[in-house]
Amino acid sequence: QVQLVESGGGLVQPGGSLRLSCAVSGLFTAIYTMAWYRQAPGKEREAVALVFSGGTTIYADSVKGRFTISRDNAKNTVYLQMNSLKAEDTAVYYCNAGATWGQLTGYWGQGTQVTVSS
């Protein structure tokens, strides 16, 4: 059974940082495309960052230069380092395994709330 469990969300002030973690069981992150998506209230779920099995990364224009996706294959865990957070980054963040960019397929975690507010 595949499980993805996100953690690390919370309330942070604008300009602050958070690191999200996604602990994966039931599949090897080393051979899967792993990604982070987010969904803000009233909006569609959107891709934020993706890392291919070979290590190449893709980012949404809105987070380039601020967010970094990484993967620790020994721990079967994927991370999203978020710096210089803005109010518009407020959303539920979801970890995904197996989807291509922007596609709502593959395996999903339950999500973790990130709120950026002063």
Side-chain angles (χ1 to χ4, degrees), residues 48-116:
V48 174
L50 178 149
V51 57
F52 291 101
S53 58
T56 301
T57 56
I58 300 176
Y59 295 95
D61 288 343
S62 59
V63 306
K64 278 182 182 176
R66 300 188 298 122
F67 289 12
T68 303
I69 187 171
S70 61
R71 179 174 55 200
D72 185 334
N73 292 330
K75 295 182 178 180
N76 229 35
T77 299
V78 181
Y79 303 97
L80 184 68
Q81 178 67 43
M82 304 186 295
N83 299 328
S84 302
L85 283 161
K86 305 175 182 180
E88 50 263 45
D89 295 319
T90 295
V92 178
Y93 284 71
Y94 296 91
C95 181
N96 174 278
T100 54
W101 182 259
Q103 297 298 310
L104 301 182
T105 55
Y107 300 97
W108 295 91
Q110 82 289 348
T112 186
Q113 176 71 47
V114 172
T115 302
V116 184

Side-chain angles (χ1 to χ4, degrees), residues 27-34 52-54 71 73 76:
L27 61 82
F28 293 112
T29 58
I31 61 173
Y32 269 77
T33 296
M34 301 298 300
F52 291 101
S53 58
R71 179 174 55 200
N73 292 330
N76 229 35

